[in-house]
Amino acid sequence: MFVILVYDMGEKRVAKALKRCRKYLNWVQNSVFEGEISETNLAKLKMELDKILVDDEDSVIIYTLRTTHYSKREIMGLRKGGQDLII
């Protein structure tokens, strides 16, 4: 499956979240990741992030797409990481 993951975490936890997300997904820009991931690895990633986040301060949003055939990606402004991956 293809996922887009976005997080908003406290300053002290951002580096830890970045490290965990980069293990499984491609970095796109600040706090945004995307890529193909198995259900098993997504479950692992979610467990790792759950250990880091503080429920009443942080948030993680995961968009799951079964296929990328009907999607389009458009970048405006400064181009950051993950430019080779086009959905």
Side-chain angles (χ1 to χ4, degrees):
M1 76 181 78
F2 188 88
V3 301
I4 299 170
L5 183 145
V6 181
Y7 65 78
D8 183 10
M9 293 200 174
E11 223 176 293
K12 295 179 182 178
R13 295 175 295 283
V14 168
K16 290 179 182 178
L18 174 68
K19 184 177 178 181
R20 299 316 187 284
C21 291
R22 280 190 167 171
K23 280 177 31 181
Y24 299 98
L25 299 169
N26 301 306
W27 178 73
V28 178
Q29 66 181 38
N30 300 347
S31 304
V32 180
F33 296 82
E34 66 182 20
E36 290 287 335
I37 189 169
S38 68
E39 288 186 32
T40 302
N41 282 339
L42 181 57
K44 287 180 187 177
L45 175 57
K46 288 162 88 174
M47 284 183 3
E48 290 179 31
L49 290 173
D50 192 46
K51 291 177 183 175
I52 298 168
L53 70 87
V54 175
D55 288 335
D56 59 345
E57 295 180 20
D58 304 329
S59 66
V60 176
I61 301 171
I62 301 171
Y63 299 93
T64 304
L65 294 89
R66 294 288 173 202
T67 180
T68 58
H69 288 96
Y70 304 105
S71 60
K72 178 182 172 186
R73 180 178 190 224
E74 183 176 344
I75 302 171
M76 298 173 61
L78 179 64
R79 298 189 186 290
K80 295 191 177 186
Q83 303 311 314
D84 296 335
L85 186 60
I86 297 174
I87 61 171

